[in-house]
Amino acid sequence: MRVLVTGGAGFIGGEITSQLAARGDQVVVLDSLVAQDAPPEHLPASAELVVGDLGDESAVRRAVEGVDAVCHQAARVGLGVDFDDVTAYVADNDGGTANLLRALWRRSFTGRLVVASSMVVYGEGRYRCPVHGDVRAGARRRDDLDAGRFEPPCPTCGVPLDWAPVREDAPLDPRNVYAATKVHTEHLSFLYGRETGAAVCALRYHNVYGPRMPRDTPYAGVASIFRSAFEAGRAPRVFEDGAQTRDFVHVRDVARANLLALDSDWAGAANIASGHPHTVGDMARALAAGFPDAPAPVTTGEYRLGDVRHVVATPDLATRALGFTAETDFAEGMRAFAHDPLRQHRPE
């Protein structure tokens, strides 16, 4: 199979590229290399590299030529710095996806399309009130957060809510710019599938970590930010009270989920998660085990309004539809991540 991987020299895309090449697929990588000076050493020699971003119509046109399937990973990720990032996110994620889909349309592509989505499309996850059952958490309010009231209250009675695993049929409720662009990526891709008959699968990643994660950038994941702090001999700053709940899933598992999706004809959106949630504080402490001489994590009470309190998913649909089950143990994965190679960020 000849597979195009957009962003195939990056963190998740690079692992997908390596796994595809290892099993004998022909891989075309479209990557801007914007965060690095040269093709990375981990890129398989057999991969065909097209250097360009998704805004480069000529590069996109060359990349899609003759491919049987597309694995769309290229995106501007993370929460960003502030709303001033909005145009960059929309240009890269919305506009980039549109350019890719237009190039596929002009090629009359009807093969398999797997797109990277994210847990952030749900906004706040699923919540239960002991009195009113399942409810939707409202928008976070600065006065609550300033007062250290981090748990979302029931919109009816005001009692703090308990989280519950979110399913793929939950309403989409993006609460920051990045999240909004991932919703749009899904919508555009599924629309392409309806127009062409192509089978489209969107994988909603949870908190991905592992080798070659980018470091020292405000767009990096929290695990990478904590890792950089430990390496510098600083105490990681854990926002809120550290009890925010997430699902940390290893990049090798995420890449394997993409291969399973490429091999399947199942269409729809599926959560890609370990199924074993942990708090951000748990993650900081697990990572600290790899740095015995570093200061302990510090819980600061700081917050970002665009963050969500709890978002934990059930991966049951991915198991049923794609045969996916995460294999990397959290504690073992974090111990390894303490010393995994990270990708140095080069300013754009």
Side-chain angles (χ1 to χ4, degrees), residues 195-208:
E195 291 285 331
T196 64
V200 178
C201 179
L203 301 182
R204 294 174 178 166
Y205 304 156
H206 285 249
N207 287 69
V208 188

Side-chain angles (χ1 to χ4, degrees), residues 40 59 75 92-93 101 103-104 135 155 172 182 184 187 212 234 237 247 305 312 320-321 325:
D92 288 352
N93 297 355
L101 296 176
L104 292 173
V135 298
L172 303 187
K182 297 312 284 186
H184 200 202
H187 286 172
R212 298 189 292 272
R234 302 190 309 270
R237 299 175 65 83
D247 188 304
L305 193 63
V312 173
R320 294 194 307 271
T325 302

Side-chain angles (χ1 to χ4, degrees), residues 212-247:
R212 298 189 292 272
M213 203 172 181
R215 71 155 83 230
D216 301 329
T217 163
Y219 305 96
V222 64
S224 175
I225 292 170
F226 287 1
R227 155 79 184 267
S228 292
F230 279 128
E231 283 188 319
R234 302 190 309 270
R237 299 175 65 83
V238 181
F239 281 16
E240 301 182 22
D241 58 1
Q244 312 94 300
T245 314
R246 300 290 189 270
D247 188 304

Side-chain angles (χ1 to χ4, degrees), residues 64-76:
V64 303
E65 190 61 37
V67 299
D68 305 303
V70 176
C71 190
H72 177 31
Q73 304 295 311
R76 182 178 291 265

Side-chain angles (χ1 to χ4, degrees), residues 164-197:
V166 65
R167 297 186 298 265
E168 289 83 356
D169 59 359
L172 303 187
D173 184 20
R175 300 204 175 188
N176 57 60
V177 171
Y178 170 63
T181 65
K182 297 312 284 186
V183 171
H184 200 202
T185 291
E186 286 196 18
H187 286 172
L188 288 173
S189 299
F190 286 125
L191 177 60
Y192 181 87
R194 288 194 296 271
E195 291 285 331
T196 64

Side-chain angles (χ1 to χ4, degrees), residues 226-284:
F226 287 1
R227 155 79 184 267
S228 292
F230 279 128
E231 283 188 319
R234 302 190 309 270
R237 299 175 65 83
V238 181
F239 281 16
E240 301 182 22
D241 58 1
Q244 312 94 300
T245 314
R246 300 290 189 270
D247 188 304
F248 296 92
V249 58
H250 199 276
V251 66
R252 285 194 298 269
D253 287 321
V254 172
R256 188 165 48 81
N258 275 270
L259 268 64
L260 289 168
L262 286 166
D263 292 342
S264 170
D265 59 3
W266 181 82
N271 293 319
I272 302 301
S274 75
H276 301 284
H278 293 84
T279 68
V280 173
D282 289 339
M283 186 272 291

